[in-house]
Amino acid sequence: ARGIDEPWAGQAGASMSVSTLPIREEYFDNDPTGVEVEDLEPSDSIVRPWDPASIRVSTKSFSLRQVPDQIHDNDIELAPDFQRNKVWKSEQKSRLIESVLLQIPLPAFYFAEDSDGRFRVVDGLQRLSTVYDYVHTDASPSFPRLTGLEYLKEADGRTFDELPLPWRRRINNTQIVVHVIDPTTPPEVKYDIFRRINTGGSPLNSQEIRHCMSKQRSRDFLKRCAATKEFNLATGGALRNHVRMEDREMVLRFCAFRLLGIDSYATIANGALDVFLERATDHLDDPALAADPELERLFEEFRTAMSNAYHVFGDHTFRKWPLGSDRRNPVNRPLFETWSMALADHTLADLADRRDAIVRAARTLMATDTEYITAITSSTGGIGRVRCRFDRAFRAAGAGR
């Protein structure tokens, strides 16, 4: 398979089964996400010291009159298709506008500037979206009127155009402090800056950060893949338009291993998944690294992988399913990345003849192979564990030949 190197052989054990381990599902805002909690330690705790000279951040002032117009003209990008934009309720948005009217200073914002002079919002996306939605109701009618104000009761129910002129001027003339990350700052440093300052009430996860920092080419590609019927069937619809963008990260994991290979995970990323996925995002964003025909081929390979996986595992696709248990568990990320790769180059005719053998081999691994069970459960980012689970999946995919 393209992107896969020689399998790494480990030794199987027989003292542990998936069925004896607690399987925890992730929650967001008290709702289950359909995805199993992943323990990436210790690989993602690797310290990556940066040369202080490579961190270039300047501080500028903008007026709120400028910002909505710059958003409207696409000079400031608010990461379109970002699901978390909808987290704030109308009353929360109204209180932000009320704070501006009361002349309470807003916390500082972070923008990342690209080589064309455009700005991408790194921190403050929700606040700027709120201001834009209120001022430009013609372009974004999702927040036309203020509601639930605490002090300025006379403004309740009013649109921006219905506010008294002095109040509209107060909003327009409000100055905000913006820390701008220079375009010459290395991408991995930008990502680390974002992660360090991302300390809000509902901090962004890694894929949400990548979405805000990436270009439209990769965003559109990941969205296109995640919207396929094959992906939604294979994941049981659990990740459709996922509120935490887990659907996009799953797709990106497939793309990363397919484009870059396991050796790149070890040599380039040094076992740090975030670095590996950042590098894959760079490839998807850059036509010089992944031309349009290659993206089309990757898209078809992804669809094939999803179709093949569902054909083999049915409703248990990408989920822990050991012998002796028919419980339908949440989607497991390590199983997704390995089995999507292991089945991407097979034909349905081939798999139809060997389906039972593959399922039996995979379920036996989850019931008897201690090393494999650990590799899909604990410290899953370690290089040895990544190689282990890829090796076992590829071997099981060949069962029955």
Side-chain angles (χ1 to χ4, degrees):
R2 179 164 57 88
I4 287 295
D5 313 295
E6 288 299 315
W8 172 86
Q11 300 297 317
S15 60
M16 177 168 50
S17 167
V18 165
S19 60
T20 65
L21 296 174
I23 296 176
R24 297 177 296 135
E25 185 173 0
E26 289 185 348
Y27 277 71
F28 179 67
D29 279 354
N30 298 317
D31 293 322
T33 67
V35 180
E36 184 179 339
V37 173
E38 182 177 25
D39 172 18
L40 277 170
E41 299 296 337
S43 62
D44 269 8
S45 63
I46 295 173
V47 177
R48 291 178 282 161
W50 307 123
D51 177 2
S54 68
I55 301 175
R56 301 179 181 89
V57 180
S58 60
T59 302
K60 301 181 180 180
S61 292
F62 290 76
S63 71
L64 284 187
R65 180 191 299 274
Q66 293 173 280
V67 171
D69 290 339
Q70 288 178 290
I71 294 172
H72 191 264
D73 294 337
N74 292 320
D75 291 328
I76 295 177
E77 188 177 13
L78 289 178
D81 194 41
F82 185 52
Q83 296 294 322
R84 296 279 298 283
N85 276 346
K86 302 177 182 178
V87 170
W88 275 16
K89 303 295 189 294
S90 292
E91 185 170 307
Q92 292 173 288
K93 295 179 179 181
S94 297
R95 293 289 177 89
L96 177 74
I97 300 299
E98 185 179 40
S99 294
V100 173
L101 290 171
L102 293 170
Q103 297 182 300
I104 298 173
L106 296 179
F109 296 77
Y110 275 81
F111 292 174
E113 186 176 6
D114 63 23
S115 56
D116 296 324
R118 297 176 63 197
F119 297 106
R120 187 172 294 115
V121 179
V122 173
D123 186 59
L125 183 65
Q126 188 65 251
R127 286 172 283 152
L128 287 186
S129 297
T130 295
V131 173
Y132 178 76
D133 288 349
Y134 185 61
V135 174
H136 280 272
T137 53
D138 54 333
S140 180
S142 61
F143 174 48
R145 298 180 182 278
L146 300 175
T147 182
L149 299 182
E150 188 172 2
Y151 298 105
L152 304 177
K153 299 293 187 181
E154 61 270 39
D156 258 334
R158 296 195 183 191
T159 66
F160 177 76
D161 291 335
E162 292 170 350
L163 292 177
L165 180 59
W167 288 16
R168 297 202 303 271
R169 285 177 177 159
R170 187 173 296 176
I171 292 175
N172 284 330
N173 293 334
T174 294
Q175 298 291 306
I176 61 172
V177 175
V178 180
H179 302 301
V180 179
I181 304 171
D182 192 90
T184 60
T185 302
E188 61 270 20
V189 179
K190 290 181 183 179
Y191 180 88
D192 203 45
I193 292 172
F194 197 143
R195 187 166 56 179
R196 286 171 179 270
I197 65 174
N198 174 34
T199 58
S202 297
L204 306 183
N205 64 26
S206 295
Q207 185 56 36
E208 290 169 333
I209 294 175
R210 279 187 291 271
H211 182 83
C212 292
M213 297 294 291
S214 63
K215 298 178 182 177
Q216 186 167 351
R217 190 171 190 256
S218 65
R219 292 199 303 258
D220 288 348
F221 183 77
L222 297 180
K223 179 183 179 181
R224 181 186 175 199
C225 291
T228 60
K229 63 181 181 181
E230 292 86 358
F231 175 75
N232 282 296
L233 190 62
T235 56
L239 305 183
R240 190 191 305 271
N241 296 322
H242 200 273
V243 69
R244 301 304 310 271
M245 289 199 164
E246 295 290 356
D247 52 343
R248 315 297 174 85
E249 181 175 310
M250 296 287 189
V251 176
L252 182 59
R253 288 189 182 208
F254 173 85
C255 294
F257 283 106
R258 194 73 178 172
L259 289 171
L260 306 178
I262 295 177
D263 276 353
S264 292
Y265 185 77
T267 58
I268 297 175
N270 195 29
L273 181 65
D274 282 341
V275 175
F276 190 57
L277 296 183
E278 290 164 34
R279 187 63 58 90
T281 302
D282 291 342
H283 270 67
L284 295 176
D285 271 331
D286 190 347
L289 297 175
D292 289 345
E294 186 171 9
L295 285 194
E296 283 305 307
R297 183 169 62 250
L298 185 63
F299 176 74
E300 293 303 327
E301 291 169 350
F302 177 77
R303 291 180 60 201
T304 297
M306 296 300 103
S307 178
N308 287 350
Y310 183 75
H311 181 78
V312 172
F313 294 104
D315 290 341
H316 293 277
T317 305
F318 308 134
R319 301 163 192 263
K320 290 176 177 174
W321 186 26
L323 292 171
S325 173
D326 281 325
R327 175 186 174 185
R328 191 166 186 252
N329 289 305
V331 174
N332 176 278
R333 296 177 183 90
L335 288 176
F336 182 94
E337 66 192 24
T338 51
W339 277 102
S340 62
M341 289 290 294
L343 296 173
D345 295 301
H346 294 269
T347 65
L348 282 178
D350 169 47
L351 295 173
D353 294 336
R354 300 185 299 106
R355 177 189 178 277
D356 291 344
I358 295 172
V359 170
R360 185 167 56 253
R363 297 186 70 187
T364 299
L365 284 173
M366 296 184 209
T368 65
D369 190 333
T370 301
E371 191 171 19
Y372 178 74
I373 295 166
T374 302
I376 63 173
T377 302
S378 176
S379 298
T380 57
I383 296 171
R385 294 187 179 180
V386 170
R387 289 190 181 278
C388 170
R389 63 176 177 261
F390 268 95
D391 167 61
R392 302 293 203 277
F394 270 81
R395 289 184 183 182
R401 282 180 170 165

